[in-house]
Amino acid sequence: MGEIQESKALAKSKPSTEQDVTDELDLRMKKYLRGEGANLEGLKDKKLKGQLAVKEDLYGKSAKAAAKAEKWLMPSEGGYLEAEGLEKTWRIKQEAIAREVDISSSGKQYDIILPELGPYTLDFTSSGRYMAVSGRKGHLGIVDMINLSLIREFQVRETVRDVAFLHNELFFVAAQKKYPYIYNREGTELHCLKEHGPVLRLQFLENHFLLASINKFGQLRYQDVTMGSMVGNFRTGLGRTNVMQVNPFNGVVSLGHSGGTVTMWKPTSASPLVKMLCHHGPVSALAFHSNGHLMATAGKDKKIKLWDLRKFEVLQTLPGHATTLDFSQKGLLACGNGSLIQVLRDVSGTQNYSKYMTHSMVKGYQIGKLVFRPYEDVLGIGHSMGWSSILIPGAGEPNFDSWVANPFETSKQRREKEIRSLLDKLPPETIMLDPSKIGTVKPRREKPTKQEREAEIEADVEAAKGKKLKKKTKGRNKPGKRVQKKQEAVARVKRPYLEQKIQEEESISRKKQKTREGVELPKSLQRFVRKKASS
Amino acid sequence: MNFRFQNLLGAPYRGGNVVISSNTVLLSPVGNRVAVTDLLKSETTTLPIQSSSNVTRIAVSADATFLLAVDDRNRCLFINLRRRALLHRITFKHRVTAAKFSPEGSLIAVAAGKLVQIWRSPAFRREYFPFELVRTFADFDAKVTSLDWSPDSKYLVAGSKDLTARILCLKKLNTGGVKKRPFLLLGHRDSVAGSFFGVNSKTNRVCKAYTVTRDCYLFSWGFTSDDDSGEGSEPPSPGTPERDVEENLEDSENDGVEKRKKISENGGVKKRKKTDIEDGDEGYLSRGKWELLRKDGFMQGSAKVTACDYHRGLDMVVVGFSNGVFGLYQMPDFVCIHLLSISREKITTAVFNELGNWLTFGCAKLGQLLVWEWRSESYILKQQGHYFDVNCVAYSPDSQLLATGADDNKVKVWTLSSGFCFVTFSEHTNAITALHFIPSNNVLLSASLDGTIRAWDLLRYRNFKTFTTPSPRQFVSLTADISGEVICAGTSDSFEVFVWSMKTGRLMDVLSGHEAPVHGLVFSPTNTVLASSSYDKTVRLWNVFDGKGAVETFPHTHDVLTVVYRPDGRQLACSTLDGQIHFWDPIDGLLMYTIEGSRDIAGGRLMTDRRSAANSTSGKFFTTLCYSADGSYILAGGSSRYICMYDVTDQVLLRRFQITHNLSLDGVLDIFNSKNMTEAGPLDLIDDDNSDIEEGVDKQTRGKLGLDLPGSMPNRGRPIIQTKSLRIAPTGRNFVAATTEGVLVYSVDESFIFDPTDLDINVTPEAVEEALRENQPSKALILSLRLNEDSFIKKCIFAVSPGDIPAVATSIPYKYIQRLVEALADLLENCPHLEFTLRWSQELCKAHGSSIQQNSRNLLPSLKSLQKAITRIHQDLADTCSSNEYMLRYLCSSGAKK
């Protein structure tokens, strides 16, 4: 049996001595140091030597202060399953994990069986405290996940396809048969969003307060939930789809289509930002890492691919089929297909995912949606007979920042946070592929403009015209001769500019020809080029 | 009293798929029954077997012996189609979306949810569990939508809603220890609506496949075998279906070769031959590659494909769209042969027949069913039922015709023997509420809520007279006197009875006195008394010709719903709201007796009822009554699933007919299944139907007149079972009921005769001669009638001795009477044995008089020729007798003079 470390405080408290405290502090300090200190003995300049010595001293002090802060402010530690010898981590079952964890953690492992109104889909708030659950036949509810109490449960008696929280647990959206509806926490219907139509998937962009939806006719809509205005309304033209995900890094909405393409959209552009061919068959699932640079896609051609979004290249291709994918806060990837769940993990930190844990649903329940719960090592499963919760060690961030997401916040804190979020609300124009471009200066063009060049030519021509001519001997100073000499001077001055223009035109045409002869397809499609058949 | 279900009129098609078997027999689901239409004889009947809810999928075996019917609740019936007997039942666990018999008939492929299941057909075996699950394919991610078998019954192509189509191999090819997965045909952008195998006409092997997607595209896939190419295959390009474990396939091939060598070394000649045959045929589709040849669009704008079919022999595809257009295309070049519009509603089924010359289209919303010959562009069958509830029915005086009026403002006239509607009147602008046939001539009267009474001529098929009132009234009841001169109608908004003259069309009188809607109106058959019933708890008798006002008033304690006269005019029956039937003597004005029928007629529990069926008061009364022709019993129906038959003299319940067992209707069950009750109410009321207006119809539909309006009805327009009108035929041998299911016909006649000698291989001239030699004249006559040889028929007729004529005439089945009458007519004209032939004709009419009278419309040409022959012989004999008489008188008188 492997060693299991859970997200809990250290159980044992040793009798502390001065030496132990010092050793522990040194161990923590090493994490915050910037490598080894510089060797200052070889320097001749006393002034420089003194300055560097002062700087090294400051580095040490700041590392020590950070280590002290971590000791008191980050009490929990994350950990993973580790196998010993011939054991494999994916052979470890949930029953074995339940025997090794404490009572409060084993209480997070349960099955809720609701056989009549399923299949169920679910959504968590950003703090992970509240969960919205919806059955396809109209069962809607909100659950407090800390004490597992049911806040509100009601029936709408028609098809519900998706459910999503808005910025906090006070409001959630249900994609019902004809239109999406906004309900409050007590189950009161607040809004009926008729412009969206029959919605298949819903996503909420948290920093921008935008509700994004894709409907049966392939129309993508953005609506500002603070003012109620429709920010964007685009026809994708690629058919209906229910594969939709928001990149949490930049707010770009990605759609998976039936032709195997994945498109990325922003609310201020009618054409997609990125259109990449990912699979031969339809795209069945899509997920984003929280760092924004890693995307997982699954298709009907039985492949799961991991993509680098900075270069739009495949990092890894895994066999298998998934109808739902989700990344956890610490980067674990959960794949669900049929009644099987696989959790993949990046062991070495080089974006190389391998099998970490597996889980099989009892009695063949069909998995509909997998969602990792934030700040917990818990995976929520919406399936055809209700929903379940299993323990995945190392999935969640062990220490929460209460300024970002507080699972234990009071109502006063929630109101304060809501005001701050509204004040910090980002406009829709800030959604772009590379958000770090905001705030930078546009580089200046070095080439002179056409107007400047013409002015320069005019100045030279005027200078040539104003030049005084030398008096020639008899017969060479006639008025015709003088005009001819002046024209020759002007042409002599213009010749370098004309030659330069001709050279530029030649270089442009050569460049175009070179481009045409070279790569036909963009870089992301070169792997699909058919190799020429050898005779 | 032995009435049995015979036919279902009024709704030829409501949804589901339609099947044509034996090239000319059309099978279509109607409610929870299956209708069988013979396209050659132009007859339609309905199988008496009922499913538990609406039938959604049917399949017929290739030799037209077995029928498989699957309903809404995944229950399956296995029916012997020839004997109309239910053989077996099975319940599938998932919703069945496609079912198909294999071409050889021994297997059934069923698409149940995401699974494709192969069951062994039970055929005629007697077993405890006759269905055997042979194989299950669970490769799909979404619902399977279409299935097709290969001609040798070894492969299936299945299309699914997960945008893929797969080629499934029935045998588990486990060569080399590697399990093979089905081929994936990828590239569709919408769910696959149809998938078909195409064959090579020379070798009769599968060489191509077609898939039709819902977004109006057709994909042609070609198959190339690996035997020729071998090495040097290109890497897969986009559109080429993926095949897993490609490396292992080559290894398995090598292993196969090694195994083959070993077998050939070890075995002898027989073993080698057997191995070669098996290796040649086994799994030829698994060694090769499928690739996309071409992709064609149907160019139908925003419409969707809702039905499609492919004919393998002609290599043709027929496609039906959601805007009512269908197209016929010749493959493989995708040449459009026909592109026509049927209506503006979506086509829910499109089927080729076996030869491929007839196309069948069904439109579920309109209840329309068409059979169209595409070469000559003519209709073989064109039927459309009422698409709202039928309100009233009326028999013609000779019991041959039936008129129906419905909420769709149409009056239809049906031929009862063939089950077809031959004329439709659509001049009314609101619902038809009452119909009446004038007894003396061919006139049909109809009353409507649009304020008119219209008279229809059934010879010229037109409206020749319209009766109106000074201000428009809504008519709810209608009657005419025995001579057809006076027409009376009752209204629901002014509580008056209006009287018109048929000849002049003028309003003659207005009878006032009622204080509530007049829903019952009937003339006495013997005198000029008019009886009217109303919701003001009274039945009033009027003398229309005297014009004195109400003659007599019969008070009741509850609302009177309807009133009928007994055919002899001496008794009046009326039903009241408390479920009783009161019988009055109209001459003396006395209440004779009362039938308490509220327990008999009590309906089931509705889906939205909060109380049990015993405590509910809805549906516990009779809304329609009808006396039998001799007045000995009475039929009563109401808002319930039962029709009650009472004996009038003894006031006892004789029989109770349950008109349907369809669980898709409301009010069929008394006690609900608690498994279907959830916190959100009954499961059936949850609006989880994901079909929008563009998709095909997975279940049967029926029109809901106003039931979709907000706040109108809480059960989402689920139809409630009720009987709106009841009529007994004047011959007394059948009755019809206008119900929610349609117009049900019950009869005492045996409409289906199973003839044990109806075997073609045994019907030979030698068999006829042998029967004559063995002194079996009855058998010989039947065999000769089936041979239909004139000389043999006449020979067998003369073989019967005169004393045996009654016995032989009685033993002839009904279907041969027409042929026998024709033979007798011919004999009367040509044969000198006059008395013998006349004796035959007389005994035949005695034995089959009622059948001849009931079906006189079919037998009319034969009967007219027989009558003509007898009349001509009678005239000839009369001339001869007169001549003889005059000659004798002259000779006697001349002798006396001399």
Side-chain angles (χ1 to χ4, degrees):
Chain A
M1 185 60 199
E3 180 188 0
I4 299 171
Q5 300 185 23
E6 291 297 321
S7 61
K8 57 186 178 180
L10 290 175
K12 300 176 181 178
S13 62
K14 301 174 183 178
S16 64
T17 59
E18 189 66 27
Q19 186 61 38
D20 290 334
V21 169
T22 307
D23 287 344
E24 187 183 358
L25 201 63
D26 287 341
L27 194 67
R28 290 181 185 272
M29 257 180 63
K30 195 171 288 183
K31 197 163 72 172
Y32 293 100
L33 284 172
R34 310 188 190 195
E36 294 292 328
N39 189 6
L40 306 178
E41 295 298 324
L43 292 176
K44 299 286 185 180
D45 193 348
K46 287 190 177 182
K47 184 181 177 184
L48 181 62
K49 190 173 177 180
Q51 286 178 352
L52 289 180
V54 168
K55 196 166 285 188
E56 286 292 329
D57 195 21
L58 279 179
Y59 287 164
K61 285 181 181 177
S62 69
K64 191 172 181 181
K68 282 187 177 180
E70 180 190 344
K71 181 181 177 182
W72 298 106
L73 296 180
M74 305 181 85
S76 304
E77 288 182 5
Y80 294 98
L81 288 177
E82 291 179 6
E84 291 177 353
L86 293 177
E87 284 179 343
K88 302 292 182 182
T89 53
W90 64 83
R91 297 258 174 89
I92 299 169
K93 294 189 180 299
Q94 292 288 312
E95 294 91 1
I97 293 172
R99 283 196 296 264
E100 300 294 331
V101 299
D102 55 293
I103 288 177
S104 63
S105 293
S106 65
K108 294 166 185 166
Q109 198 186 56
Y110 55 82
D111 290 308
I112 304 292
I113 305 297
L114 299 164
E116 292 125 4
L117 302 167
Y120 280 81
T121 184
L122 35 91
D123 190 42
F124 288 101
T125 52
S126 58
S127 63
R129 176 169 183 174
Y130 297 98
M131 179 177 76
V133 65
S134 76
R136 184 174 175 87
K137 290 182 163 60
H139 188 195
L140 289 170
I142 302 183
V143 184
D144 189 338
M145 299 305 286
I146 286 183
N147 46 15
L148 274 182
S149 66
L150 186 66
I151 293 175
R152 177 61 61 179
E153 179 193 20
F154 58 103
Q155 314 275 346
V156 295
R157 288 187 186 170
E158 63 179 6
T159 307
V160 176
R161 297 185 190 93
D162 201 10
V163 73
F165 273 113
L166 296 186
H167 50 281
N168 51 21
E169 77 273 8
L170 292 184
F171 309 103
F172 67 97
V173 197
Q176 289 179 213
K177 187 176 185 183
K178 284 187 175 178
Y179 312 113
Y181 289 80
I182 295 183
Y183 297 94
N184 72 348
R185 188 173 138 152
E186 279 78 36
T188 309
E189 178 188 319
L190 301 178
H191 296 286
C192 172
L193 310 173
K194 288 195 170 182
E195 296 180 25
H196 290 247
V199 165
L200 296 175
R201 281 299 288 260
L202 289 163
Q203 292 283 316
F204 185 68
L205 280 73
E206 193 161 339
N207 296 316
H208 309 84
F209 282 83
L210 293 177
L211 177 69
S213 73
I214 183 78
N215 63 10
K216 253 186 197 182
F217 315 114
Q219 291 167 357
L220 175 63
R221 294 179 195 267
Y222 292 88
Q223 186 155 15
D224 193 332
V225 300
T226 60
M227 296 178 292
S229 58
M230 186 68 73
V231 173
N233 178 8
F234 310 118
R235 210 179 321 133
T236 60
L238 292 165
R240 68 183 275 175
T241 176
N242 56 350
V243 180
M244 182 193 197
Q245 203 72 30
V246 174
N247 194 338
F249 176 62
N250 49 16
V252 167
V253 169
S254 288
L255 301 171
H257 297 283
S258 61
T261 58
V262 168
T263 53
M264 298 186 183
W265 303 80
K266 66 173 183 176
T268 53
S269 173
S271 60
L273 299 172
V274 173
K275 193 174 180 182
M276 51 198 292
L277 184 65
C278 296
H279 290 275
H280 288 152
V283 176
S284 59
L286 196 61
F288 285 100
H289 199 290
S290 54
N291 61 13
H293 303 314
L294 192 64
M295 177 176 80
T297 58
K300 293 285 168 60
D301 56 346
K302 299 188 189 300
K303 287 192 173 76
I304 297 170
K305 295 184 179 180
L306 297 173
W307 299 82
D308 187 347
L309 290 181
R310 288 168 292 193
K311 297 189 289 179
F312 298 107
E313 285 182 352
V314 183
L315 291 175
Q316 196 178 354
T317 299
L318 298 154
H321 182 41
T323 55
T324 173
L325 291 169
D326 196 39
F327 273 105
S328 76
Q329 282 177 319
K330 300 294 277 183
L332 301 186
L333 177 64
C335 316
N337 179 33
S339 61
L340 290 172
I341 297 165
Q342 279 191 8
V343 180
L344 310 175
R345 182 190 166 202
D346 181 9
V347 178
S348 54
T350 59
Q351 314 287 343
N352 192 20
Y353 277 75
S354 60
K355 195 191 286 187
Y356 173 54
M357 285 179 75
T358 57
H359 182 67
S360 175
M361 301 299 300
V362 295
K363 299 180 184 176
Y365 297 158
Q366 299 292 298
I367 291 160
K369 192 168 186 182
L370 295 175
V371 188
F372 277 104
R373 187 178 159 191
Y375 302 106
E376 295 282 346
D377 287 349
V378 165
L379 175 67
I381 306 164
H383 51 81
S384 58
M385 297 293 270
W387 77 87
S388 300
S389 183
I390 61 172
L391 294 173
I392 305 290
E397 174 66 45
N399 302 291
F400 62 90
D401 186 351
S402 62
W403 293 102
V404 172
N406 188 356
F408 306 100
E409 70 184 0
T410 62
S411 60
K412 185 175 182 181
Q413 286 169 342
R414 185 188 66 227
R415 286 196 290 263
E416 299 254 352
K417 190 193 166 200
E418 194 169 10
I419 298 298
R420 263 187 285 106
S421 300
L422 284 168
L423 291 173
D424 292 337
K425 179 188 166 221
L426 296 173
E429 290 83 16
T430 59
I431 297 174
M432 54 185 67
L433 277 178
D434 189 2
S436 62
K437 280 186 178 179
I438 301 173
T440 57
V441 180
K442 189 160 74 174
R444 181 189 181 86
R445 281 189 296 174
E446 298 168 358
K447 195 180 287 185
T449 60
K450 192 176 178 182
Q451 197 171 359
E452 290 174 0
R453 194 182 299 172
E454 285 181 353
E456 193 175 348
I457 292 171
E458 281 295 319
D460 288 345
V461 168
E462 287 296 325
K465 281 182 178 179
K467 192 176 179 182
K468 193 174 183 181
L469 295 174
K470 194 192 299 178
K471 284 188 176 179
K472 293 294 182 179
T473 56
K474 185 177 181 182
R476 293 179 180 175
N477 202 23
K478 288 189 284 184
K481 285 286 186 181
R482 273 190 265 120
V483 168
Q484 184 178 354
K485 282 179 184 176
K486 189 175 285 185
Q487 283 178 356
E488 284 176 359
V490 166
R492 196 180 306 115
V493 167
K494 275 189 177 181
R495 185 172 293 114
Y497 296 104
L498 291 178
E499 286 177 354
Q500 186 180 359
K501 190 176 180 182
I502 287 168
Q503 281 180 3
E504 285 178 0
E505 285 178 358
E506 283 182 356
S507 68
I508 285 170
S509 64
R510 192 180 301 116
K511 190 179 178 182
K512 280 186 181 178
Q513 190 179 3
K514 189 177 182 181
T515 306
R516 196 178 302 111
E517 287 175 356
V519 181
E520 277 185 2
L521 297 168
K523 198 173 184 185
S524 59
L525 298 180
Q526 281 185 21
R527 63 187 179 281
F528 295 108
V529 171
R530 183 195 297 260
K531 295 173 185 176
K532 294 187 177 179
S534 60
S535 62
Chain B
M1 306 303 153
N2 197 18
F3 288 98
R4 281 175 303 198
F5 175 81
Q6 191 192 22
N7 210 344
L8 174 64
L9 311 176
Y13 177 68
R14 283 203 184 116
N17 67 325
V18 166
V19 170
I20 295 191
S21 73
S22 301
N23 202 37
T24 55
V25 177
L26 180 71
L27 294 118
S28 58
V30 181
N32 62 339
R33 302 174 193 265
V34 177
V36 182
T37 303
D38 197 323
L39 296 171
L40 284 183
K41 302 175 186 173
S42 290
E43 287 180 355
T44 179
T45 55
T46 305
L47 299 183
I49 302 152
Q50 286 197 64
S51 192
S52 66
S53 53
N54 283 338
V55 174
T56 56
R57 284 293 178 267
I58 55 176
V60 180
S61 59
D63 54 351
T65 305
F66 303 111
L67 173 70
L68 198 89
V70 192
D71 62 7
D72 266 353
R73 294 162 188 257
N74 317 328
R75 291 175 185 163
C76 175
L77 306 177
F78 195 79
I79 294 163
N80 186 343
L81 197 51
R82 299 187 189 276
R83 296 210 57 179
R84 302 179 178 188
L86 176 63
L87 299 179
H88 304 293
R89 298 173 194 265
I90 191 177
T91 301
F92 299 110
K93 288 187 176 174
H94 304 282
R95 181 173 196 84
V96 173
T97 48
K100 207 164 254 214
F101 277 84
S102 63
E104 64 185 19
S106 65
L107 300 170
I108 307 168
V110 173
K114 295 183 185 179
L115 308 172
V116 174
Q117 295 175 334
I118 312 295
W119 298 84
R120 195 177 306 281
S121 176
F124 288 112
R125 298 193 303 268
R126 291 172 174 265
E127 290 177 7
Y128 180 68
F129 189 75
F131 283 89
E132 180 192 341
L133 181 60
V134 175
R135 186 97 193 259
T136 300
F137 299 96
D139 295 291
F140 296 89
D141 290 321
K143 194 165 65 171
V144 180
T145 51
S146 60
L147 288 172
D148 195 31
W149 286 89
S150 62
D152 53 357
S153 302
K154 289 180 180 175
Y155 291 95
L156 272 168
V157 60
S160 174
K161 270 193 146 190
D162 63 352
L163 319 181
T164 63
R166 283 166 163 92
I167 314 278
L168 311 169
C169 182
L170 259 68
K171 275 195 172 182
K172 290 189 178 180
L173 298 175
N174 224 7
T175 61
V178 174
K179 186 180 179 183
K180 293 185 182 175
R181 290 184 176 271
F183 276 100
L184 271 165
L185 307 179
L186 293 167
H188 314 99
R189 283 185 42 174
D190 210 328
S191 58
V192 179
S195 54
F196 311 102
F197 273 131
V199 296
N200 193 348
S201 57
K202 296 177 181 177
T203 62
N204 202 30
R205 281 191 174 187
V206 171
C207 66
K208 57 196 169 185
Y210 298 107
T211 52
V212 183
T213 56
R214 216 171 61 90
D215 58 346
C216 298
Y217 279 95
L218 187 139
F219 292 73
S220 303
W221 307 86
F223 176 73
T224 53
S225 182
D226 257 357
D227 297 336
D228 301 331
S229 61
E231 300 292 332
S233 63
E234 293 180 354
S237 61
T240 302
E242 282 290 310
R243 181 168 48 176
D244 290 336
V245 293
E246 190 168 354
E247 298 174 356
N248 290 323
L249 184 64
E250 296 174 0
D251 293 338
S252 63
E253 278 187 357
N254 294 328
D255 291 343
V257 171
E258 289 175 4
K259 283 186 179 178
R260 210 173 297 144
K261 287 179 181 177
K262 288 179 182 178
I263 290 168
S264 62
E265 285 170 3
N266 293 330
V269 176
K270 291 184 179 179
K271 285 186 179 178
R272 193 176 301 125
K273 282 186 178 178
K274 189 179 178 182
T275 307
D276 288 342
I277 290 168
E278 282 183 353
D279 284 342
D281 281 346
E282 180 177 334
Y284 66 95
L285 278 187
S286 297
R287 300 192 301 268
K289 192 173 69 172
W290 289 89
E291 63 181 5
L292 179 62
L293 297 179
R294 59 187 288 163
K295 176 183 175 182
D296 301 291
F298 295 114
M299 303 301 173
Q300 285 297 315
S302 64
K304 303 286 183 182
V305 171
T306 49
C308 59
D309 197 21
Y310 171 74
H311 196 271
R312 205 168 275 166
L314 301 177
D315 204 8
M316 276 182 172
V317 174
V318 62
V319 187
F321 301 101
S322 62
N323 53 358
V325 174
F326 76 91
L328 184 64
Y329 299 89
Q330 175 77 58
M331 302 307 295
D333 298 323
F334 199 73
V335 179
C336 179
I337 296 176
H338 285 297
L339 190 67
L340 295 168
S341 177
I342 291 174
S343 62
R344 276 175 295 169
E345 303 294 338
K346 68 175 120 175
I347 295 170
T348 52
T349 187
V351 181
F352 274 103
N353 70 332
E354 201 169 320
L355 288 183
N357 52 350
W358 292 351
L359 296 169
T360 303
F361 300 106
C363 185
K365 190 168 181 185
L366 302 177
Q368 207 174 32
L369 200 58
L370 307 168
V371 179
W372 192 68
E373 183 167 13
W374 62 269
R375 286 197 172 102
S376 61
E377 301 185 14
S378 59
Y379 282 113
I380 306 296
L381 175 83
K382 190 178 185 182
Q383 280 290 297
Q384 178 175 352
H386 294 291
Y387 52 85
F388 292 136
D389 279 353
V390 179
N391 280 332
C392 47
V393 285
Y395 265 104
S396 66
D398 56 350
S399 299
Q400 301 297 305
L401 308 178
L402 184 76
T404 57
D407 281 332
D408 58 348
N409 315 343
K410 288 183 172 60
V411 179
K412 285 179 181 284
V413 187
W414 308 76
T415 303
L416 268 173
S417 55
S418 69
F420 279 134
C421 165
F422 63 93
V423 71
T424 300
F425 301 116
S426 51
E427 274 90 356
H428 275 295
T429 56
N430 209 328
I432 316 293
T433 51
L435 289 172
H436 191 86
F437 267 95
I438 302 288
S440 55
N441 45 14
N442 298 279
V443 176
L444 171 67
L445 298 171
S446 64
S448 175
L449 295 178
D450 61 355
T452 61
I453 308 284
R454 291 180 188 266
W456 312 92
D457 191 349
L458 288 182
L459 295 180
R460 299 180 187 84
Y461 300 140
R462 66 182 183 89
N463 175 23
F464 69 95
K465 207 173 280 277
T466 303
F467 307 94
T468 55
T469 51
S471 58
R473 302 285 186 227
Q474 290 197 326
F475 296 111
V476 290
S477 54
L478 175 70
T479 189
D481 72 330
I482 196 68
S483 63
E485 297 297 323
V486 177
I487 295 164
C488 304
T491 62
S492 69
D493 45 356
S494 68
F495 319 141
E496 292 162 335
V497 177
F498 292 88
V499 182
W500 292 273
S501 168
M502 170 61 90
K503 282 186 175 177
T504 61
R506 281 191 307 106
L507 182 65
M508 296 196 312
D509 205 349
V510 178
L511 309 177
S512 305
H514 277 298
E515 301 159 2
V518 183
H519 269 275
L521 203 65
V522 66
F523 254 106
S524 171
T526 52
N527 48 30
T528 59
V529 175
L530 174 75
S532 64
S533 70
S534 174
Y535 288 170
D536 62 355
K537 306 185 175 66
T538 60
V539 170
R540 294 170 189 267
L541 302 184
W542 314 81
N543 198 324
V544 173
F545 295 95
D546 290 349
K548 295 178 184 175
V551 171
E552 198 161 2
T553 302
F554 300 146
H556 295 82
T557 55
H558 289 88
D559 296 2
V560 186
L561 302 173
T562 187
V563 64
V564 286
Y565 256 103
R566 200 165 73 176
D568 60 356
R570 293 188 202 166
Q571 197 180 64
L572 203 64
C574 52
S575 69
T576 52
L577 199 60
D578 56 348
Q580 294 183 353
I581 305 176
H582 301 268
F583 293 90
W584 295 84
D585 188 344
I587 301 170
D588 298 332
L590 299 176
L591 178 63
M592 303 167 77
Y593 26 78
T594 299
I595 292 177
E596 172 66 49
S598 61
R599 289 177 180 267
D600 306 326
I601 195 66
R605 183 176 170 181
L606 299 188
M607 196 60 65
T608 53
D609 275 351
R610 293 294 197 264
R611 293 166 293 172
S612 66
N615 297 327
S616 174
T617 57
S618 70
K620 285 186 166 177
F621 44 84
F622 301 104
T623 57
T624 178
L625 296 172
C626 191
Y627 269 101
S628 64
D630 55 352
S632 60
Y633 56 90
I634 193 166
L635 281 177
S639 296
S640 166
R641 65 182 192 270
Y642 294 117
I643 291 173
C644 302
M645 176 187 277
Y646 292 100
D647 189 285
V648 173
T649 310
D650 297 327
Q651 298 110 54
V652 294
L653 176 69
L654 293 176
R655 195 174 163 182
R656 195 163 70 160
F657 302 92
Q658 177 155 351
I659 55 182
T660 186
H661 295 269
N662 194 348
L663 298 180
S664 302
L665 302 173
D666 220 355
V668 175
L669 288 176
D670 285 340
I671 297 171
F672 283 158
N673 192 348
S674 62
K675 288 201 296 184
N676 292 329
M677 302 298 289
T678 60
E679 293 176 354
L683 260 181
D684 294 324
L685 294 188
I686 293 175
D687 191 6
D688 194 22
D689 195 3
N690 205 15
S691 167
D692 51 358
I693 57 174
E694 300 294 328
E695 292 192 10
V697 169
D698 274 344
K699 57 174 67 174
Q700 301 201 24
T701 62
R702 64 183 73 216
K704 296 178 275 193
L705 182 67
L707 297 178
D708 278 339
L709 298 176
S712 68
M713 199 166 279
N715 65 345
R716 285 186 55 238
R718 192 180 165 93
I720 300 171
I721 185 66
Q722 58 183 336
T723 302
K724 288 197 168 182
S725 186
L726 272 169
R727 288 288 183 271
I728 296 185
T731 58
R733 301 191 70 82
N734 46 14
F735 71 89
V736 290
T739 65
T740 310
E741 284 264 37
V743 180
L744 303 174
V745 182
Y746 286 83
S747 177
V748 296
D749 295 328
E750 293 187 7
S751 63
F752 178 69
I753 299 166
F754 184 64
D755 196 344
T757 62
D758 194 1
L759 296 170
D760 291 337
I761 201 169
N762 295 339
V763 181
T764 55
E766 290 82 15
V768 175
E769 296 286 350
E770 188 180 354
L772 285 175
R773 262 186 274 108
E774 290 175 0
N775 200 16
Q776 297 179 0
S778 175
K779 182 180 177 183
L781 183 57
I782 292 171
L783 286 173
S784 64
L785 284 167
R786 293 181 54 220
L787 270 178
N788 206 14
E789 290 284 337
D790 200 42
S791 58
F792 277 109
I793 293 172
K794 290 171 180 176
K795 187 175 180 181
C796 294
I797 288 172
F798 289 127
V800 182
S801 63
D804 294 334
I805 290 175
V808 173
T810 308
S811 70
I812 292 172
Y814 163 71
K815 63 165 75 174
Y816 304 122
I817 286 175
Q818 179 175 359
R819 189 67 187 87
L820 192 56
V821 167
E822 289 171 3
L824 290 174
D826 195 50
L827 282 177
L828 274 173
E829 292 177 0
N830 301 321
C831 185
H833 303 289
L834 186 62
E835 185 184 0
F836 183 80
T837 314
L838 285 175
R839 185 94 182 268
W840 249 106
S841 303
Q842 189 183 27
E843 294 299 332
L844 193 65
C845 290
K846 280 184 185 177
H848 296 280
S850 59
S851 299
I852 289 171
Q853 189 177 2
Q854 270 199 353
N855 299 273
S856 61
R857 194 163 290 263
N858 290 335
L859 295 172
L860 202 56
S862 314
L863 291 176
K864 279 186 181 296
S865 59
L866 185 65
Q867 185 193 14
K868 184 178 68 172
I870 292 174
T871 305
R872 189 142 54 84
I873 285 174
H874 181 266
Q875 285 178 357
D876 291 344
L877 287 179
D879 290 344
T880 305
C881 290
S882 300
S883 177
N884 286 347
E885 186 184 358
Y886 298 148
M887 185 63 69
L888 286 175
R889 193 177 297 169
Y890 169 74
L891 289 177
C892 288
S893 65
S894 67
K897 280 185 179 179
K898 287 179 182 181

